[in-house]
Amino acid sequence: MTGPIEEGLPYPLGAHWSGQGTNFALFSANATRVEVCLFDGEHETRIELPEYTDQVFHGYIPGVGPGTFYGYRVHGPYDPAKGHRFNANKLLLDPYACAHAGSLTWNPAIFGYTMESGNDLTFDERDSAPFMPKCVVVDPGFEWTAETNRQDVHWDETIVYETHVKGFTKKHPDVPEHLRGTYAGFGSDPAIGHLKSLGITSVELLPVHTFVNEGNRPNYWGYNTIGFFAPDPRYASDVPNSLCEFKEMVSRLHGAGLEVFLDVVYNHTAEGNERGPTLSFKGIDNASYYRLMPDKRYYLNDTGVGNTLNLGDARVMQMVMDSLRYWAGHMHIDGFRFDLGIVLARDAGEFNEGSSFLKVADQDPLLSTVKLIAEPWDAAMHYNLGDFPPGWAEWNGKFRDTVRDYWRGMAPPAELAGRLLASGDLFNEKGRRTWASVNFVTAHDGFTLNDWTSYNGKHNEANGEDNRDGSNDNRSWNCGVEGPTGDRKILDLRARQKRNMLATLLFSQGTPMMLGGDEFGRTQQGNNNAYCQDNDVTWFDWNLDDDGKHLLAFTKRLIKVLHDYPILRRSRFLTGAHDGELNVRDVTWINAGGGEMSEADWNTPWIKCFGMVLDGRTRKTAMPRHGEDETVLMILNSFEDTVPFKLPEAVGGTQWSLLVDTNIPDAPEGAHFAFGSTYEVTGRSLLLFALVP
């Protein structure tokens, strides 16, 4: 039973339960009045919010508690030519809702204009409530009992694993069937057991903020956000308790010593352009929430999906920052990866390191305690790699492209060398550290590692767009046959190429990020844009064949080596310069003859095999103290045939101990090789040695 509405407070925004009732507060600079709509089944009760303070409509309703379904109807002018699209016939989602229930049904009634006409200047009078999901009042309480072992993972120890909540466990045979594809499933013992045994430190989840499908087409990836404060209920095994289930997943991952990052989409919403649906922001205050063209009717489309959030408005900026603080603080999230990050860093026009968003984020005391990762490009492929301010890490697309080109024989050692050292040409300034370079060779967007070795071109026919979608710039090589084959020679070459890519990724300076499933050769059958494939194309197949089992074992071995040899993950940039105070050169580049790479070597196009010695005596900080790490030698050969390589001498040792040879994945560690001896480096292979004192 609800009591008569009271004035309530204009803060905090959203619906907040006090223990006896709920305060509702909604920002709109241009609305004339707001009704909060309470739902009991199909029955709707509309209550007008009585107060308007500092552009916030607000009211307090006694007796309304957790589990109550609600939405808003917002009144105001419908004048698209002036940027206003108010239509009180449309039920609207609360931008600050912490939980949702139900799903969106695509129906002409969810559009503010008469959709059938195609004219966004028309006004639609149909009620959208029957077709809309609902917001849910929540009890924020939760006991974080499972996360007593939560770890503070330093950047130079971080290994990121990008994956999808649903796809990771949907077909996992050891996860209870009713939990597969859910938050509870991802937080289950079998799922966590795989992540822990692999050795990664941080899980990066594709978007989990509430999102909607695009018409009848699934949006598997989730880059179509409609609620920035709520975990999407489609991934909940217990929808009425989706918020608690998400927290329990995070708590259990923390309890296992794993970090949790979220891929977040603050650059646009699911409402599209002027012909898109009216689901929330568009009907609450279109002119405030979105960047509009000068004529106000049309939307600025920096994102390629129809609209761009207007972070130039103080209240919209507040919403984004409130959301980030909510997830970092209340939901215990350890880091964020910002989709199309450069869009957020534009105040007017071009990317700006001093943009309002970056300034606000950088000064925030809570966000300074979590990891911030930018995708430094946008839908139009404007590229600002290396341009984000100190404190930020960035997806390094140049690392991906160069490593791919090197292992298919299309990039020389001179191009690869800098990428192996955390791309100092891009990041070594302003006191930034090597971890600012988030290195990857595959990600959700593009080929999996298996498909990179199996397909020269994309095969996206299942997406229903005549194979026109997805990038054509795959820099891949199928090793001689397009797609699946039974030819053992080709399969062995593909397996070695996968090992080469993983070893290069994990043994390079910087922060490595793996694509989930690459550790055992997951395939998407050549689909490099599987955003709409919520099916076997994207769901992990845990029924591994022998090749998958061998690759998984090898990946675990690589990660263990990375943990065991800190010289592979230094936070200070290694440059090859001589340290006069310590008489140490941090990096020495080696040719196949065992001597230092000369200018002629670097510029000789047929030389595709080279090595580098990372000296463990190199200082770790600015203080003039020798490091105590073990020295390592890495040799890379992208040539198709064997190259005899003379092993160089190194200070502090007498011989080299083999750690990894991608041509002999199951070879035991520890075979010793004398200085000056010749090692036959197999074509297209990578080796790592440790110096023996």
Side-chain angles (χ1 to χ4, degrees):
M1 180 69 68
T2 63
I5 191 167
E6 301 171 8
E7 297 87 342
L9 297 170
Y11 56 84
L13 293 170
H16 288 267
W17 179 54
S18 68
Q20 290 78 41
T22 299
N23 192 82
F24 295 90
L26 181 72
F27 157 74
S28 180
N30 294 291
T32 55
R33 65 190 184 95
V34 171
E35 295 170 296
V36 60
C37 307
L38 308 180
F39 289 86
D40 183 2
E42 298 298 318
H43 179 72
E44 176 184 352
T45 300
R46 303 183 187 183
I47 304 172
E48 184 172 346
L49 296 181
E51 286 287 352
Y52 187 57
T53 304
D54 296 333
Q55 298 182 326
V56 175
F57 291 87
H58 56 94
Y60 176 86
I61 307 178
V64 171
T68 301
F69 288 11
Y70 76 99
Y72 290 112
R73 295 184 187 271
V74 181
H75 300 255
Y78 188 83
D79 190 352
K82 293 183 179 179
H84 300 309
R85 296 180 180 271
F86 296 100
N87 186 336
N89 296 297
K90 310 304 166 184
L91 185 74
L92 305 175
L93 299 177
D94 182 355
Y96 278 71
C98 294
H100 295 106
S103 59
L104 179 69
T105 300
W106 281 83
N107 183 282
I110 68 174
F111 293 81
Y113 66 99
T114 306
M115 189 270 289
E116 296 89 341
S117 72
N119 181 2
D120 67 293
L121 299 179
T122 59
F123 184 81
D124 188 84
E125 296 183 354
R126 287 169 287 192
D127 182 11
S128 69
F131 311 102
M132 286 288 293
K134 307 300 186 291
C135 305
V136 185
V137 177
V138 302
D139 178 353
F142 182 78
E143 297 294 332
W144 294 85
T145 54
E147 69 164 32
T148 53
N149 292 325
R150 185 177 184 181
Q151 302 293 310
D152 181 14
V153 181
H154 296 161
W155 261 116
D156 57 4
E157 299 173 338
T158 300
I159 304 172
V160 182
Y161 184 90
E162 187 198 33
T163 191
H164 190 281
V165 166
K166 181 177 182 178
F168 186 74
T169 65
K170 185 62 179 175
K171 298 175 66 177
H172 200 302
D174 297 329
V175 174
E177 187 170 1
H178 70 287
L179 299 182
R180 295 174 190 170
T182 69
Y183 301 125
F186 200 93
S188 67
D189 288 342
I192 291 176
H194 175 78
L195 298 170
K196 287 296 293 181
S197 69
L198 189 58
I200 59 93
T201 66
S202 311
V203 176
E204 182 175 302
L205 299 177
L206 266 66
V208 297
H209 290 173
T210 298
F211 64 94
V212 299
N213 293 330
E214 300 169 22
N216 294 320
R217 179 187 290 262
N219 189 312
Y220 176 69
W221 286 348
Y223 293 92
N224 207 31
T225 306
I226 198 61
F228 296 108
F229 291 78
D232 196 294
R234 78 188 69 195
Y235 300 140
S237 63
D238 180 12
V239 173
N241 294 296
S242 59
L243 182 62
C244 285
E245 184 174 329
F246 182 90
K247 292 177 180 178
E248 183 63 25
M249 176 194 73
V250 173
S251 182
R252 288 181 55 80
L253 288 165
H254 282 166
L258 296 167
E259 291 186 309
V260 182
F261 300 165
L262 298 185
D263 194 335
V264 290
V265 189
Y266 293 111
N267 55 78
H268 74 280
T269 78
E271 292 186 301
N273 60 17
E274 66 279 356
R275 294 188 178 183
T278 297
L279 308 175
S280 178
F281 314 94
K282 186 179 290 186
I284 292 170
D285 195 344
N286 184 68
S288 294
Y289 276 107
Y290 294 114
R291 289 184 172 176
L292 304 177
M293 300 296 285
D295 64 3
K296 301 298 183 183
R297 177 181 176 185
Y298 300 106
Y299 294 75
L300 186 68
N301 186 17
D302 284 340
T303 62
V305 290
N307 66 58
T308 305
L309 269 179
N310 179 23
L311 268 66
D313 184 278
R315 286 292 191 175
V316 181
M317 176 72 80
Q318 178 190 349
M319 177 189 72
V320 171
M321 297 306 298
D322 285 350
S323 170
L324 288 168
R325 283 188 288 260
Y326 175 78
W327 289 95
H330 185 76
M331 304 290 275
H332 292 205
I333 296 302
D334 303 286
F336 302 95
R337 180 265 188 186
F338 293 83
D339 177 62
L340 305 184
I342 69 171
V343 174
L344 302 176
R346 290 178 180 149
D347 284 334
E350 298 300 316
F351 172 90
N352 179 8
E353 183 184 335
S355 68
S356 299
F357 171 74
L358 292 178
K359 284 181 179 178
V360 172
D362 290 348
Q363 63 77 44
D364 189 272
L366 179 55
L367 296 186
S368 68
T369 67
V370 301
K371 294 171 179 171
L372 305 178
I373 304 170
E375 182 183 41
W377 53 82
D378 65 11
M381 292 312 296
H382 296 115
Y383 223 67
N384 287 97
L385 180 61
D387 292 341
F388 276 74
W392 284 75
E394 304 175 39
W395 271 26
N396 190 344
K398 288 188 176 181
F399 180 93
R400 171 201 58 204
D401 295 347
T402 306
V403 172
R404 287 185 174 193
D405 281 346
Y406 177 78
W407 284 115
R408 66 191 185 113
M410 302 295 289
E415 287 187 22
L416 180 64
R419 303 295 160 240
L420 299 176
L421 300 181
S423 299
D425 58 320
L426 300 171
F427 297 105
N428 190 9
E429 62 176 3
K430 301 179 182 177
R432 299 184 80 178
R433 298 292 182 166
T434 58
W435 53 256
S437 175
V438 176
N439 302 327
F440 65 104
V441 292
T442 52
H444 69 276
D445 190 0
F447 279 151
T448 65
L449 182 58
N450 180 85
D451 292 356
W452 178 81
T453 68
S454 305
Y455 298 91
N456 284 346
K458 64 189 181 185
H459 294 267
N460 299 352
E461 292 82 5
N463 295 354
E465 301 178 42
D466 297 324
N467 208 35
R468 294 191 302 268
D469 64 303
S471 175
N472 294 313
D473 185 22
N474 297 297
R475 302 171 189 244
S476 59
W477 178 46
N478 64 18
C479 300
V481 173
E482 188 73 355
T485 180
D487 188 318
R488 192 66 246 177
K489 185 177 180 180
I490 290 177
L491 291 174
D492 288 345
L493 176 56
R494 288 177 177 177
R496 189 161 72 250
Q497 286 286 71
K498 293 175 212 174
R499 295 192 291 268
N500 291 335
M501 292 280 275
L502 288 169
T504 308
L505 170 65
L506 290 163
F507 294 162
S508 294
Q509 303 291 311
T511 303
M513 184 189 77
M514 295 178 55
L515 173 63
D518 278 355
E519 68 271 25
F520 52 75
R522 181 174 72 91
T523 181
Q524 292 180 168
Q525 293 89 55
N527 193 321
N528 75 351
N529 190 36
Y531 73 98
C532 59
Q533 299 298 322
D534 189 0
N535 50 42
D536 285 347
V537 172
T538 53
W539 299 345
F540 289 29
D541 183 357
W542 295 94
N543 184 26
L544 306 186
D545 59 16
D546 287 342
D547 287 345
K549 292 175 182 176
H550 292 154
L551 183 58
L552 177 58
F554 185 75
T555 305
K556 292 179 180 180
R557 179 176 177 178
L558 294 179
I559 293 175
K560 183 179 185 303
V561 169
L562 178 58
H563 285 304
D564 290 346
Y565 290 85
I567 189 64
L568 296 171
R569 45 183 174 83
R570 284 292 185 89
S571 64
R572 282 172 62 89
F573 283 92
L574 308 179
T575 65
H578 182 262
D579 185 339
E581 287 186 281
L582 301 181
N583 193 27
V584 172
R585 180 180 295 174
D586 52 17
V587 178
T588 303
W589 302 100
I590 308 296
N591 60 31
E596 288 191 34
M597 290 280 286
S598 66
E599 194 69 23
D601 292 332
W602 288 117
N603 293 318
T604 301
W606 51 263
I607 291 181
K608 297 184 178 181
C609 181
F610 72 114
M612 67 172 183
V613 174
L614 304 181
D615 196 322
R617 300 173 302 148
T618 300
R619 68 174 76 195
K620 294 184 177 182
T621 70
M623 300 300 294
R625 291 192 297 264
H626 280 105
E628 298 176 350
D629 297 339
E630 294 184 66
T631 295
V632 299
L633 164 65
M634 183 159 63
I635 300 173
L636 304 96
N637 179 22
S638 65
F639 184 54
E640 63 187 20
D641 207 348
T642 299
V643 174
F645 201 102
K646 185 177 180 180
L647 300 182
E649 296 183 1
V651 175
T654 59
Q655 54 188 333
W656 295 103
S657 175
L658 181 65
L659 299 176
V660 171
D661 182 342
T662 60
N663 183 53
I664 315 172
D666 53 357
E669 295 182 21
H672 287 188
F673 298 86
F675 291 165
S677 63
T678 297
Y679 193 103
E680 298 294 324
V681 181
T682 305
R684 300 191 179 96
S685 67
L686 180 151
L687 300 95
L688 187 71
F689 297 85
L691 185 65
V692 179

